[in-house]
């Protein structure tokens, strides 16, 4: 138990001044601007927006600068700022079929309607350090088209692009999603604490803002045999979608802007029953920004957490919703782990008294037995 | 100034006549024009909106209005759907700023823009108001049209770059199958 302490103000002030100095680093080196962070460390910004659960690139860049690049600390800062803002509206559900595609791949179908575009990706790079980046470039890198067009390429379509899961569903080879009640309540863990058993809406919200590392390890564990789900990356797409709200005074939907999201449709092993012939099951990942690894991990864990609903034995951590949902939030997790650093003097004094007493008793017993 | 060709590709959809009795028209058609210009105003960067607005007021003079609701920043909870087309869930929030104004003739304009720019929301509200008045054709020509063109141009460039990464994979026949 933690008992409050007093004092130390001077030392704390000085420590914070020292932190500011450490944050700035060598004053001979030019100071980072938020534009530089937003434009050149975009994936860090995306992670902070996703797990901080607030889409605002400038705020995320500021948080990263203030946290000296510690992304979990930056996520904490963004969550704290969020608490100062009023909730003005809920959006209409995003229509990811109408995404302006910047990347779209499938590991299940080579020739899917609409085609596959790689977009900006680390895939197929050799992971060799590029020492050319160690010094500032003299000219901006040539644009993608400078190296010639890829073969046979009608430009990506603006209109709705079919999902791989729809192609399978048309042949009844995969389960269909159950459309929710459009006027029904949607669980919101920013308003009510977690409750179990958790509905899929609550689970997906929790996973969308959950720690990438935690979800990655859980997804990996399911692949290695702790609750196998036999996944295929049916489709991954990344791009921009419009956010729409229906303001009360207007009564019709309007676009307030566009956000970048990454979506992963995982296609998993069959399930069937006496009445339903076997078909593939699905796991879903959707995250803010270009965060493919997180979207894939989320889809794996979403599928694992559907064990109860699909009548599977719950034998592995990734299938245990209390375990997963209670430990996925890195703001809560870091808070509880790091509170151990706070002075526990009173508590520890009690433990000292106890251990001394136990030792005395034990020594006395040993002495008595020896005599 | 002559009215512009309103069927031009300025991204503002069907024309809506202010004050016309359009109650028999389905809601999605009735509001399409306003939805289109509000979308253009929200998706354009604030600097570009301010620049076009400046050009407009240089020519037309300052526009009078009062704030019905001062710019206010808050959050919108963004929803997704399980599997892309299933039941809704809460994905996370996005910052948004809103503002409402009343023009000298009583027309009310609303601005709703993602982000925290008060100026953006206020400009969007004023232009939304004016777009419902007789000033609409001139605004379309000087503000909405150019903004829509810039967005479309940007999208075209992005689409071309993306298209250059279109890929065709070939499945190799395994040795034992030959």
């Amino acid at each position: 138990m933690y008992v409050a302490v007093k004092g130390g103000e001077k030392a704390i002030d000085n420590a914070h001044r020292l932190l500011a100095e450490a944050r700035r680093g060598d004053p001979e080196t030019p100071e980072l601007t938020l534009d530089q962070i937003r434009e050149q460390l975009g994936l860090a910004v995306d992670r902070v927006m996703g797990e901080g659960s607030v889409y605002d690139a400038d705020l995320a860049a500021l948080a990263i600068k203030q946290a000296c690049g510690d992304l979990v600390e930056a996520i904490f800062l963004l969550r704290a700022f969020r608490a100062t803002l009023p909730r003005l509206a809920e959006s209409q559900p995003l229509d990811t079929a109408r995404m302006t595609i910047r990347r779209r791949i499938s590991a299940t179908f080579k020739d899917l309607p609409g085609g596959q575009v790689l977009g900006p990706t680390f895939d197929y790079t050799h992971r060799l350090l590029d020492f050319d980046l160690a010094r500032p470039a003299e000219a901006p890198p040539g644009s993608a088209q400078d190296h010639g067009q890829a073969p046979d390429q009608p430009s990506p379509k603006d209109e709705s692009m079919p999902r791989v899961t729809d192609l399978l569903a048309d042949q009844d080879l995969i389960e269909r999603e159950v459309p929710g009640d459009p006027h029904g309540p949607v669980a919101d863990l920013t308003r009510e604490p977690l409750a179990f058993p958790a509905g899929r809406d609550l689970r997906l919200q929790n996973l969308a803002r959950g720690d990438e590392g935690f979800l990655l390890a859980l997804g990996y564990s399911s692949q290695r045999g702790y609750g196998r789900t036999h996944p295929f990356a049916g489709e991954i797409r990344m791009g921009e979608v419009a956010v729409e709200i229906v303001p009360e005074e207007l009564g019709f939907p309007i676009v307030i802007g566009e956000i970048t999201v990454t979506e992963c449709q995982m296609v998993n092993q069959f399930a069937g029953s006496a009445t339903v012939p076997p078909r593939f099951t699905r796991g879903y990942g959707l995250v803010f920004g270009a965060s493919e690894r997180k979207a894939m991990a989320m889809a794996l864990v979403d599928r694992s957490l559907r064990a109860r609903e699909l009548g599977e034995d719950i034998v592995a951590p990734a299938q245990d919703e209390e375990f997963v949902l209670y430990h996925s939030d890195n703001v809560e997790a870091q808070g509880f782990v790091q509170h151990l650093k706070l002075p526990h003097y009173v508590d520890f004094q009690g433990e000292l008294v106890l251990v001394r007493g136990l030792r005395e008793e034990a020594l006395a017993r040993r002495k008595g037995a020896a005599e | 100034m002559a009215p512009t060709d309103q069927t031009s590709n300025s991204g503002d959809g069907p024309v809506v006549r202010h004050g016309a009795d359009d109650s028999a028209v389905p809601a999605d058609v009735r509001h399409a024009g306003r939805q289109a210009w509000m979308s253009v105003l929200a998706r354009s960067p604030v600097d570009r909106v301010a620049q076009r607005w400046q050009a407009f007021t240089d020519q037309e003079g300052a526009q009078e209005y009062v704030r019905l609701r001062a710019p206010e920043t808050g959050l919108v909870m963004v929803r997704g759907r399980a599997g892309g087309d299933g039941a809704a869930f809460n994905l996370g929030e996005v910052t948004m700023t809103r503002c409402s104004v009343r023009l000298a003739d009583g027309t009310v304009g609303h601005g709703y823009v993602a982000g925290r720019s008060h100026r953006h929301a206020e400009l969007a509200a004023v232009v939304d108001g004016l777009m419902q008045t007789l000033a609409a054709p001139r605004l379309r020509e000087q503000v909405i049209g150019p903004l829509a063109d810039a967005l479309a141009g940007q999208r075209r460039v992005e689409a071309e770059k993306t298209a250059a990464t279109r890929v065709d994979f070939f499945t190799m026949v395994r040795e034992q199958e030959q």
Side-chain angles (χ1 to χ4, degrees):
Chain A
M1 187 183 61
Y2 170 69
V3 179
V5 291
K6 282 174 64 169
E9 291 88 348
K10 185 100 182 103
I12 291 169
D13 282 350
N14 286 339
H16 290 167
R17 257 193 293 277
L18 199 54
L19 171 65
E21 207 178 303
R23 174 187 300 121
R24 180 60 184 85
D26 182 354
E28 297 293 307
T29 304
E31 185 175 343
L32 270 177
T33 65
L34 298 192
D35 289 349
Q36 287 172 339
I37 296 171
R38 200 188 54 235
E39 296 301 317
Q40 297 176 41
L41 297 176
L43 299 184
V45 168
D46 285 350
R47 182 169 176 197
V48 171
M49 294 196 299
E51 293 171 33
S53 207
V54 178
Y55 197 101
D56 188 313
D58 292 320
L59 285 179
L62 174 60
I64 290 168
K65 180 173 177 177
Q66 185 177 336
C68 314
D70 179 337
L71 298 189
V72 175
E73 181 72 17
I75 288 160
F76 190 2
L77 291 170
L78 193 54
R79 288 266 189 100
F81 182 79
R82 172 207 165 271
T84 66
L85 294 174
R87 170 84 59 86
L88 300 181
E90 273 95 33
S91 85
Q92 301 289 95
L94 299 177
D95 185 358
T96 53
R98 298 191 65 85
M99 182 187 290
T100 305
I101 302 274
R102 281 199 287 139
R103 171 166 169 79
R104 179 187 191 231
I105 56 165
S106 171
T108 52
F109 295 104
K110 151 168 99 63
D111 303 309
L112 70 166
Q116 301 196 44
V117 286
L118 296 178
T121 178
F122 292 128
D123 293 353
Y124 313 109
T125 62
H126 293 110
R127 265 73 179 206
L128 297 174
L129 273 178
D130 179 0
F131 288 96
D132 289 344
L133 292 173
R135 50 187 178 276
E138 275 156 25
S143 73
Q145 304 104 301
D146 293 354
H147 299 284
Q149 296 287 4
D152 172 35
Q153 45 88 33
S155 52
K157 297 192 173 76
D158 241 4
E159 64 266 32
S160 189
M161 181 142 349
R163 300 184 174 91
V164 162
T165 43
D166 290 343
L167 306 177
L168 286 166
D170 288 346
Q171 302 167 61
D172 197 32
L173 292 174
I174 195 167
E175 56 176 348
R176 282 185 188 278
E177 292 291 349
V178 187
D181 169 7
H183 305 292
V186 180
D188 186 354
L189 56 80
T190 68
R191 295 289 169 91
E192 310 108 40
L194 284 175
F196 298 98
R200 189 147 179 232
D201 51 354
L202 187 63
R203 299 197 304 255
L204 287 169
Q205 182 185 16
N206 178 284
L207 298 178
R209 53 193 249 147
D211 182 75
E212 178 178 321
F214 180 73
L215 298 185
L216 182 66
L218 280 175
Y220 181 42
S221 73
S222 74
Q223 288 180 285
R224 288 195 64 257
Y226 291 84
R228 284 190 193 282
T229 61
H230 302 278
F232 288 91
E235 182 177 351
I236 295 167
R237 53 171 75 179
M238 183 272 286
E240 281 67 46
V241 283
V243 178
E244 290 185 330
I245 62 168
V246 181
E248 260 172 46
E249 58 270 42
L250 292 177
F252 55 83
I254 56 162
V255 173
I256 61 163
E258 286 181 335
I259 63 172
T260 303
V261 295
T262 307
E263 179 184 57
C264 173
Q265 301 274 4
M266 223 36 111
V267 175
N268 300 75
Q269 73 189 357
F270 333 108
S273 67
T275 51
V276 182
R279 49 187 172 207
F280 290 109
T281 57
R282 26 200 312 188
Y284 186 64
L286 183 66
V287 290
F288 282 159
S291 311
E292 189 160 287
R293 188 170 47 223
K294 164 79 182 279
M296 294 180 76
M298 175 173 170
L300 287 174
V301 178
D302 171 49
R303 174 58 186 81
S304 292
L305 289 176
R306 296 183 58 217
R308 178 166 40 85
E309 162 200 348
L310 294 168
E312 296 165 340
D313 293 333
I314 297 178
V315 294
Q319 298 167 316
D320 181 337
E321 68 177 17
E322 287 201 32
F323 180 80
V324 174
L325 303 189
Y326 269 136
H327 300 116
S328 61
D329 192 287
N330 57 25
V331 176
E332 282 172 20
Q334 66 87 28
F336 201 55
V337 167
Q338 295 206 90
H339 103 285
L340 291 174
K341 293 185 293 192
L342 299 174
H344 281 68
Y345 305 135
V346 175
D347 211 16
F348 193 67
Q349 282 302 319
E351 296 284 312
L352 272 178
V353 170
L354 185 64
V355 77
R356 285 196 175 114
L358 290 170
R359 279 174 62 86
E360 271 166 33
E361 270 175 44
L363 287 172
R365 259 203 312 279
R366 210 188 304 168
K367 211 170 164 193
E371 278 168 6
Chain B
M1 183 177 301
T4 54
D5 172 13
Q6 293 174 333
T7 59
S8 73
N9 182 28
S10 54
D12 43 22
V15 180
V16 181
R17 266 190 312 276
H18 179 60
D21 177 18
D22 50 14
S23 56
V25 183
D28 52 339
V29 175
R30 188 157 19 116
H31 302 300
R34 192 162 179 200
Q35 285 171 313
W37 76 62
M38 288 182 88
S39 169
V40 167
L41 290 165
R43 289 186 296 127
S44 298
V46 58
D47 292 345
R48 212 182 288 155
V49 178
Q51 196 190 339
R52 298 314 311 176
W53 176 249
Q54 183 67 48
F56 178 77
T57 50
D58 283 351
Q59 207 158 19
E60 304 279 331
Q63 304 293 313
E64 271 179 41
Y65 64 90
V66 290
R67 287 173 171 184
L68 285 180
R69 181 164 61 194
E72 178 193 17
T73 297
L75 296 165
V76 171
M77 177 54 91
V78 179
R79 290 186 168 159
R81 290 187 183 282
D85 58 357
F89 70 95
N90 288 313
L91 173 64
E93 289 160 313
V94 59
T95 52
M96 182 190 78
T97 305
R98 64 182 180 189
C99 177
S100 301
V101 299
R102 190 175 52 222
L103 308 180
D105 73 351
T107 310
V108 173
H110 299 291
Y112 290 87
V113 299
R116 288 168 294 123
S117 170
H118 286 197
R119 181 153 170 71
H120 195 176
E122 187 159 346
L123 284 173
V126 176
V127 177
D128 175 55
L130 286 169
M131 281 298 289
Q132 301 170 61
T133 69
L134 294 173
R138 300 192 301 282
L139 270 166
R140 222 185 278 279
E141 182 175 285
Q142 293 177 45
V143 180
I144 302 294
L147 290 176
D149 289 346
L151 288 172
Q154 219 172 315
R155 179 154 295 191
R156 210 162 33 242
V157 170
E158 289 297 325
E160 278 167 17
K161 287 182 187 174
T162 301
T165 70
R166 182 171 294 272
V167 65
D168 285 313
F169 286 116
F170 300 96
T171 312
M172 306 297 279
V173 179
R174 280 184 262 180
E175 229 165 79
Q176 58 267 38
E177 291 171 4
Q178 284 179 333

